[in-house]
Amino acid sequence: MFRKSHKRKHFSISSEEELCQLRSLPKEAFFYTQRRQYGLGKHVSQGIFSDYLAEQIPCLLQEREYKLGSINKIFAAKWLSDKQVVFGTKCNQLIVLDTASGRMTHIPKLKSSEESIPAKCPCGIHSIAINPSSTLLATGANHTNDIAVYKLPTFDPVCVGELGHKDWVFDLVWIDDEFVLSGSRDNNLALWKIDNCDDDRSSHVNNLFIPEYTVKHPVTVQYCQKAEKVRALAFHKERKELAALSLNGYFHLWDIGSFTQMPSKNLPDITESVCMCVNQKKALYAVGCHSSVLLVDPRSDCSITPISKHPGRGIRSVSFNEDILTIGTGYGMVLFYDLRACKYIQHNCGHACYLSVGSGWLKPEEDDRFFLSNPGFPNAVYTHAYDSSGTRLFAAGGPLSSVSWGNYAGLWY
């Protein structure tokens, strides 16, 4: 179900350059990389996953690309365990992938009630969020302006949340184990209360097991002032602070205790502000735009620091791994920025360390037209996620063009 990519052989641990890098690692990191080759990485002590190791790992990664069939573009992904990843697609499918075997399990979509009016032009699943105790998963429902909640690890349906939004749900974030927030293209933020009760809502008809689920309405809905399409959300736990990013280039802060909006900040790059993440330790937000990556510090009047320029195809996903900011681009590359050194991670030779993603899959009838208009840049990295150890990276996406149908998914380990 999967194939190895040989596009970038210099990422192989057996190359001379990588061996030189291994010799420069701490003893624990050296033993980790040796044991990983034999599938023993899970037995390594968590103590070796330090800030220094997080900096060194990107230069050692190699790709395993998966064949996913004819699904269209992966927009969101989360790790469920050390072997499973769940992801959502533009064609509105929720799928669990076994990273060892490549086997896929399709999760049934939850349907809304007749009271819910579906949004026009469904866009698929843009977000997946797991609560702090890893007992509930929230994502998009069959109507892309509603949310669906499942119980983990079984994926039993819990509820559908409806009447919170009139347009696509772009992002979801859990405030705690019971409350989840959604942000939508209709400029609204909706707060939902999810009861994780253990009662059996299933029924048996003619010896068939039929899972049942409830319909939820939001606790409250708030309009995000100055926003034009809420695109991304991030929650800082200690500060009890919600950040919302809108497509018109505004950064919005909300006090979660009172659910009130604070003054919004206009970003210097106002085009295609589509992704955001937060560093919990530093209380620092990273924003990905069309041509730049911005760092926003809410502690100093939301001061903004541009860290790089990426003209043309933009930034599509961002995440923090300790002090390393991982950046998924629209031109098929994953980059790594070190907040402490204030520069991109480099090999010992001085060249930038980056991952060049595989070719993925594209509808045969679109192949010639797509590559003629997008030479050399087959896939955008719409989502990426580290596993709990911080040493394996799942990256996924598909063609950047909105009219092209295709997908890419790879495990970098």
Side-chain angles (χ1 to χ4, degrees), residues 92 108-126 139-150 159-170 172 184 192 213 215:
N92 211 29
K109 291 174 289 186
L110 302 190
K111 296 183 179 180
S112 303
S113 71
E114 294 181 356
E115 192 177 0
S116 173
I117 300 175
K120 296 180 180 179
C121 303
C123 67
I125 295 173
H126 277 270
T139 186
N142 190 47
H143 289 180
T144 52
N145 53 315
D146 294 336
I147 72 168
V149 179
Y150 299 86
C159 67
V160 166
E162 59 185 43
L163 303 185
H165 300 290
K166 297 179 180 179
D167 212 333
W168 308 342
V169 172
F170 269 140
L172 293 155
S184 169
W192 311 83
Y213 50 90
V215 173

Side-chain angles (χ1 to χ4, degrees), residues 49-100:
F49 304 129
S50 61
D51 290 346
Y52 184 77
L53 185 55
E55 177 184 348
Q56 298 298 319
I57 285 297
C59 297
L60 306 176
L61 297 176
Q62 55 186 339
E63 182 190 34
R64 173 184 294 170
E65 188 178 348
Y66 297 94
K67 292 183 178 180
L68 305 179
S70 59
I71 64 174
N72 189 25
K73 296 187 183 72
I74 298 172
F75 283 152
K78 294 289 184 183
W79 285 85
L80 295 173
S81 66
D82 60 351
K83 291 179 59 179
Q84 290 183 318
V85 173
V86 58
F87 61 80
T89 72
K90 185 177 181 179
C91 51
N92 211 29
Q93 296 188 53
L94 186 66
I95 298 172
V96 175
L97 173 70
D98 186 305
T99 59

Side-chain angles (χ1 to χ4, degrees), residues 172-389:
L172 293 155
V173 63
W174 288 89
I175 303 304
D176 55 27
D177 273 341
E178 290 185 308
F179 288 92
V180 62
L181 270 161
S182 56
S184 169
R185 198 168 180 252
D186 64 6
N187 305 329
N188 286 334
L189 300 178
L191 179 66
W192 311 83
K193 186 178 187 299
I194 311 299
D195 299 315
N196 188 12
C197 53
D198 294 327
D199 59 320
D200 186 6
R201 297 193 189 95
S202 61
S203 61
H204 292 78
V205 179
N206 297 328
N207 295 324
L208 294 177
F209 176 79
I210 303 176
E212 296 179 353
Y213 50 90
T214 60
V215 173
K216 292 278 187 179
H217 293 168
V219 175
T220 183
V221 177
Q222 297 289 337
Y223 184 83
C224 190
Q225 301 294 330
K226 294 187 177 181
E228 292 180 11
K229 302 173 183 175
V230 174
R231 191 62 181 81
L233 302 174
F235 177 62
H236 192 272
K237 300 174 184 176
E238 290 187 6
R239 293 172 58 87
K240 303 298 181 183
E241 169 186 272
L242 176 76
L245 178 68
S246 56
L247 204 57
N248 60 334
Y250 272 90
F251 178 84
H252 317 269
L253 284 179
W254 289 72
D255 183 299
I256 287 301
S258 59
F259 206 10
T260 56
Q261 187 174 0
M262 294 177 272
S264 301
K265 187 80 170 183
N266 193 10
L267 302 173
D269 187 350
I270 63 172
T271 308
E272 293 188 38
S273 306
V274 297
C275 55
M276 177 173 58
C277 63
V278 61
N279 186 310
Q280 296 289 342
K281 292 182 180 179
K282 295 183 177 297
L284 189 68
Y285 296 88
V287 174
C289 304
H290 179 258
S291 59
S292 60
V293 178
L294 309 171
L295 296 179
V296 184
D297 189 346
R299 298 166 299 179
S300 57
D301 194 28
C302 289
S303 63
I304 299 172
T305 305
I307 64 172
S308 59
K309 291 288 185 180
H310 301 269
R313 298 170 184 269
I315 308 304
R316 299 295 156 177
S317 56
V318 288
S319 72
F320 282 108
N321 181 18
E322 300 293 344
D323 285 326
I324 305 302
L325 174 62
T326 304
I327 303 166
T329 69
Y331 48 89
M333 294 173 61
V334 180
L335 308 172
F336 305 90
Y337 186 86
D338 190 335
L339 293 179
R340 296 161 302 173
C342 297
K343 66 178 183 180
Y344 283 94
I345 293 179
Q346 298 178 342
H347 291 284
N348 288 346
C349 61
H351 291 91
C353 174
Y354 63 90
L355 311 180
S356 182
V357 305
S359 57
W361 174 86
L362 194 71
K363 267 190 176 181
E365 58 268 29
E366 297 185 3
D367 192 73
D368 293 337
R369 175 172 58 84
F370 178 76
F371 281 103
L372 284 175
S373 59
N374 298 269
F377 304 116
N379 291 301
V381 182
Y382 290 112
T383 183
H384 64 266
Y386 285 94
D387 70 351
S388 59
S389 72

